[in-house]
Amino acid sequence: LNITFFGNKTKTSTENKMAFTKKILAIFALAVVAVSSASAFAPVPAVKNVAAGTNNGVRHMPMANMGVKSSTSVALSAAGGEAVEEADSGLGETLKVGTYFALWYLFNIGYNIYNKQALNVLAFPWTIALIQMATGILYFGPLWLLGLRKAPKLSFDDMKTLVPIALCHTGVHVGAVVALGAGAVSFAHIVKASEPVVTCLANFLLLGQVLSPMVYATLLPIIGGVAIASMKELSFTVLALAAAMLSNVSSSLRGVLSKKTMSGKQIGENLDAQNLYAVLTAMSTLMLIPAALGMEGLGFFSAFKDVVAAGDFTNKSLSVLLALGGATYYLYNEVAFLALGKVNPVTHAVGNTIKRVVIIVASVVAFKTPMSTGSIIGSSIAIAGTLLYSLAMNASKKKD
């Protein structure tokens, strides 16, 4: 199966490129309408408990502990999902949740493909990570200015509280982007599946949290699966492994910091899940500006011109590719908050596992990335382990 998105002159005409771009933008427009509806920006339902789980790369902030009741702390919870009171039921609610999950998967797949395509022609992961972060401001900024979403109100002390969390948030994204640029998309997600191991270790060392033996047992297939996949990975690079692990560590520390600094207190006003993510995006953008300049300087701009001069892209098509990477990055996180706030932890764990599999399969098809038998077996074991971990964590919280 040959899937061409951008940059193939022999197989894709300029007209086809523009038609494809218009279709993608139309999908984005429909998605924005969906997530901008009144229900999309309603307050998060009352939370029974917060169950920790695995992170998918980006970007949903897992709490280091359970039982946190403040709305701000709940907003920082992520991959483990939230057990919420079901406010609605019936066909309408089912369709709404199904739409959220479909958009979550669609934007996530789009992000990984657009991101990898951009990194294949522009080897400037720090600058591309900055562009993707900054793109989010173009989404939530107008919502705040036009009153479509209540803007958060934060004091200076509130901002100081969020700085270390934003720093970790930056590390999560940069690590993931570097990993995607240095290796295959599938391999980056296989390594990302080991995040529960890092989370358990961080919680024990920094918070003294001891989990049940059943939870720790589920870490064994994760460790074993990632080890097998790494040894058999045809596109293995040390940089890809190290960068993906940096993303894992940053995500785990973000959860620990969230617990230590935000547990039991309210931060600012109008700081629901989406607004908190927007604030962290803005702060991370500011942090990435000097970091990208320090790591890569201004070489991105000359490289951009060289790619265009080579004839595979025009200024417009390459700019659109970068913009689509940023838009899908922010939108998949935005929709994820809406999707995960509607389901219980078990449903979330299953959905997150399926999402990771779908991304790996989509990337293999899109980029024709070969996977050895050992890599397939190892990734399957690791991903199954993440599902068992999420289910075991949920069962452990119910006993508590």
Side-chain angles (χ1 to χ4, degrees):
L1 176 61
N2 182 22
I3 298 178
T4 304
F5 290 90
F6 291 95
N8 192 329
K9 294 189 296 182
T10 62
K11 296 182 180 180
T12 306
S13 66
T14 302
E15 291 80 6
N16 288 336
K17 289 180 182 179
M18 292 306 299
F20 177 76
T21 301
K22 290 179 180 178
K23 290 179 181 179
I24 291 295
L25 293 177
I27 293 175
F28 287 149
L30 291 174
V32 170
V33 170
V35 299
S36 300
S37 63
S39 61
F41 299 116
V44 177
V47 175
K48 290 180 179 177
N49 69 299
V50 181
T54 62
N55 186 280
N56 59 18
V58 259
R59 330 302 186 285
H60 319 298
M61 293 143 254
M63 288 302 298
N65 203 349
M66 314 307 145
V68 181
K69 300 301 182 182
S70 74
S71 62
T72 304
S73 297
V74 168
L76 278 171
S77 69
E82 300 164 3
V84 300
E85 298 285 356
E86 294 294 339
D88 302 307
S89 60
L91 180 60
E93 183 68 7
T94 300
L95 290 174
K96 181 188 296 184
V97 174
T99 300
Y100 288 161
F101 269 82
L103 290 174
W104 180 29
Y105 282 28
L106 174 66
F107 289 141
N108 213 318
I109 293 170
Y111 165 68
N112 281 275
I113 291 177
Y114 293 136
N115 192 14
K116 182 61 176 176
Q117 286 181 319
L119 290 165
N120 281 345
V121 296
L122 293 167
F124 291 84
W126 287 79
T127 304
I128 289 177
L130 169 59
I131 292 172
Q132 291 170 352
M133 277 287 183
T135 301
I137 299 176
L138 301 178
Y139 174 78
F140 61 77
L143 293 179
W144 288 347
L145 293 174
L146 297 175
L148 299 176
R149 177 187 294 181
K150 291 184 178 180
K153 298 178 181 179
L154 299 170
S155 66
F156 181 71
D157 288 338
D158 292 335
M159 296 298 292
K160 287 197 301 182
T161 299
L162 293 176
V163 165
I165 299 172
L167 182 62
C168 291
H169 180 61
T170 305
V172 172
H173 185 52
V174 169
V177 174
V178 172
L180 289 173
V185 174
S186 56
F187 180 65
H189 280 276
I190 292 169
V191 177
K192 284 294 294 174
S194 67
E195 185 179 323
V197 179
V198 182
T199 299
C200 288
L201 181 61
N203 288 348
F204 175 74
L205 295 177
L206 301 176
L207 297 177
Q209 182 185 48
V210 178
L211 302 172
S212 69
M214 179 176 63
V215 174
Y216 289 129
T218 63
L219 300 180
L220 297 178
I222 298 176
I223 297 172
V226 172
I228 294 173
S230 297
M231 289 188 294
K232 301 297 183 179
E233 174 61 38
L234 300 177
S235 59
F236 174 84
T237 66
V238 175
L239 179 57
L241 175 62
M245 288 306 299
L246 169 63
S247 182
N248 285 345
V249 171
S250 297
S251 180
S252 298
L253 292 178
R254 181 176 58 187
V256 171
L257 288 171
S258 300
K259 169 60 181 175
K260 292 179 72 71
T261 62
M262 301 180 67
S263 177
K265 68 175 181 178
Q266 188 75 24
I267 303 295
E269 299 179 22
N270 303 325
L271 204 62
D272 58 7
Q274 290 92 338
N275 272 348
L276 179 55
Y277 187 77
V279 170
L280 292 178
T281 295
M283 296 176 70
S284 292
T285 299
L286 294 177
M287 293 177 180
L288 273 172
I289 292 174
L293 289 174
M295 293 295 295
E296 299 171 348
L298 299 176
F300 172 86
F301 298 100
S302 59
F304 187 103
K305 293 179 180 179
D306 291 341
V307 171
V308 172
D312 290 337
F313 291 86
T314 64
N315 282 313
K316 184 176 182 179
S317 64
L318 188 53
S319 298
V320 168
L321 177 60
L322 293 169
L324 288 175
T328 49
Y329 167 70
Y330 192 83
L331 287 173
Y332 97 70
N333 282 286
E334 173 84 7
V335 177
F337 283 119
L338 302 175
L340 304 186
K342 290 287 186 180
V343 299
N344 60 51
V346 174
T347 302
H348 163 259
V350 174
N352 200 42
T353 300
I354 295 174
K355 176 195 63 101
R356 193 180 297 278
V357 173
V358 169
I359 291 174
I360 291 176
V361 172
S363 66
V364 169
V365 172
F367 298 105
K368 296 182 174 62
T369 306
M371 290 184 70
S372 66
T373 302
S375 180
I376 294 173
I377 293 174
S379 61
S380 299
I381 294 173
I383 292 172
T386 63
L387 174 61
L388 293 175
Y389 168 81
S390 297
L391 298 177
M393 284 293 293
N394 183 51
S396 177
K397 294 315 147 207
K398 286 183 177 180
K399 289 181 181 180
D400 295 340

